[in-house]
Amino acid sequence: MRRHLPITIIGVVFLLAIGAGLMLLRLKQPPSAATAPIPEAASPTPAIPVQPDASVAPVTSTIAQEAPEAAPARPQPEALHVRGKANAPVTIEEYGDFQCLPCAAFFPVLAKAEEDFGDRLRVVFRHKPLHKHEHAIMAACAAEAAGLQGHFWEMHDLLFQNSERWTKGVDTVGPNAPPSRRLDSKLLAMPTEVRDVLLVYAEMLKLDLERFKADLDSPEVKARVESDRTRGDNLGIDRTPTVYLNGRLMTYLTIRTTEGLHSAIEAELNGHPLPAATPPAAASVPPK
Amino acid sequence: MTASEPDRPVLFSLAALLALCGLADSIYLTVTHLTGEDVACVASSGCSEVLSSAYSSVGPIPLGAFGALAYFVAFSLATLAAFGYRRARAFLPVVVTAMFITTLWLLYVQAFVLHAFCDFCLLSASLTLSLSIIVAIDFFTRSRHYPASGKMSGP
């Protein structure tokens, strides 16, 4: 009996480890509905009027409900940030956070897919600034403020391409900064430093800086970001990036690499789409 | 085991327990890597930086998976050693030394390349360090007092 005891213990631990890993993997998948559209009643509509881009069709029927009710008196944030042709057979909808490093890692993967699939792929971006990222909302607002001047995607790209820099305020430090400050730059930047970097980016994009500054703090822009976040909350999204492929939730594990995302898109184009991460169901997670 | 060489079941049970903690930590890190979850640190501030860096995986395989494998092997050997298996006791220092060297490399990467530390990685490092101390205690005291211990075979 004693002879077999250690082998038994090792076997039990092995099975427990595998079981715990699989259970944790299952639990860590987004507990949301498998499909992106949710009843509008479950998603409080923001109080801001919207200007849908005429060049693109709504991704889902739900999005179509976000049509403008009245002509706005001043430029308003876009209803939806879409890149690609309206009739593209594949639509990727990403809920992202500009301060989230996995989102930044996913950015080149998605960019490569856009490049490779061209007109066959359309990308929708929605904000999901996580509460634990203190600069995420400001960055999202910067993208929206740039969007008011027609440069949402350019700012979106800049923020993801440089996420490790602006989150640490590196761009406010400069090459001639003293070594001690460069060391500090490895820590998270202060909000004022991040704001300075965002203004630098706005300048790089040749935006109207005064207008950008005003829009960065405007309630309309914040409401636009919050409306996306609320929508994500209603879908039960608690992590980023969360990606929907033609309305079906994808596991990050499936699409996090160029090969994985390409395979998923190819499967979609070939009429054999990958299964959704969770069975289709109505959103059941209450808004936070 | 020769009559003159103690089995040290308590020492190896402690090693097995530490390896079990490391296994749990590594499984958690592997799962968070695979799901893309942004891990929040409690004591340090660099979990995201470390766990999403280029050093966090070897090809498509998360480093945590290798850690889990190493801790499981260490756990198995320590458990067997606690029950008096000499081969396991002899092989444990080899595995733990490899883990220790890997840990030193990862600490170097965190400190001097990424300039960021991650709680879960530091926990793993401290567990590996503790394992190394236990194994070193056994190895050196055994070598000193029982240099010509018996053949390496099961109990």
Side-chain angles (χ1 to χ4, degrees), chain A residues 28-36 92-97 100 102-103 106 110 124-128 130 232 235-245 248-252 255 277, chain B residues 35-37:
Chain A
K28 293 281 179 188
Q29 297 297 340
S32 57
T35 50
I92 286 179
E93 187 173 6
E94 177 192 0
Y95 283 79
D97 171 329
C100 140
C103 297
F106 183 63
L110 187 54
V124 177
F125 182 84
R126 287 187 184 275
H127 301 286
K128 186 67 177 75
L130 301 177
L235 286 165
I237 294 170
D238 62 353
R239 71 207 58 215
T240 52
T242 291
V243 175
Y244 291 89
L245 194 61
R248 282 191 315 285
L249 178 64
M250 292 287 108
T251 58
Y252 179 66
I255 46 87
Chain B
T35 55
E37 187 182 359

Side-chain angles (χ1 to χ4, degrees), chain B residues 4 13-15 21 45 59 63 75 79 95 105-106 121-122 137:
Chain B
S4 59
S13 297
L14 182 62
C21 294
S45 62
L63 217 53
F75 168 79
T79 303
V95 173
W105 162 247
L106 292 175
C121 312
L122 293 179
I137 287 171

Side-chain angles (χ1 to χ4, degrees), chain A residues 83-247:
Chain A
R83 188 148 67 178
K85 287 205 167 181
N87 58 354
V90 178
T91 296
I92 286 179
E93 187 173 6
E94 177 192 0
Y95 283 79
D97 171 329
F98 289 113
Q99 200 182 331
C100 140
L101 293 181
C103 297
F106 183 63
F107 170 73
V109 173
L110 187 54
K112 183 79 171 70
E114 286 182 80
E115 182 187 327
D116 291 348
F117 288 95
D119 291 346
R120 294 179 293 168
L121 179 63
R122 179 172 54 158
V123 172
V124 177
F125 182 84
R126 287 187 184 275
H127 301 286
K128 186 67 177 75
L130 301 177
H131 294 283
K132 64 184 174 185
H133 291 154
E134 61 179 291
H135 303 318
I137 287 186
M138 196 197 297
C141 287
E144 286 299 331
L148 286 175
Q149 297 184 46
H151 292 280
F152 171 84
W153 287 104
E154 289 85 345
M155 183 62 88
H156 162 279
D157 293 357
L158 262 181
L159 288 170
F160 275 140
Q161 282 162 353
N162 300 285
S163 65
E164 285 207 67
R165 293 174 64 79
W166 64 262
T167 51
K168 293 167 185 168
V170 174
D171 283 349
T172 60
V173 178
N176 299 322
S180 60
R181 186 62 189 86
R182 283 204 291 273
L183 189 64
D184 289 346
S185 71
K186 298 299 176 187
L187 302 173
L188 198 64
M190 300 297 290
T192 49
E193 292 178 313
V194 172
R195 189 182 170 88
D196 287 345
V197 178
L198 296 175
L199 294 178
V200 168
Y201 290 171
E203 206 171 351
M204 285 167 63
L205 295 175
K206 301 189 187 331
L207 303 183
D208 178 339
L209 272 188
E210 291 309 312
R211 188 179 155 196
F212 179 80
K213 284 181 197 171
D215 289 336
L216 194 56
D217 302 320
S218 76
E220 289 89 351
V221 160
K222 283 193 173 67
R224 172 67 187 84
V225 172
E226 284 301 330
S227 76
D228 267 5
R229 176 148 78 178
T230 303
R231 184 184 170 89
D233 288 344
N234 288 338
L235 286 165
I237 294 170
D238 62 353
R239 71 207 58 215
T240 52
T242 291
V243 175
Y244 291 89
L245 194 61
N246 277 352

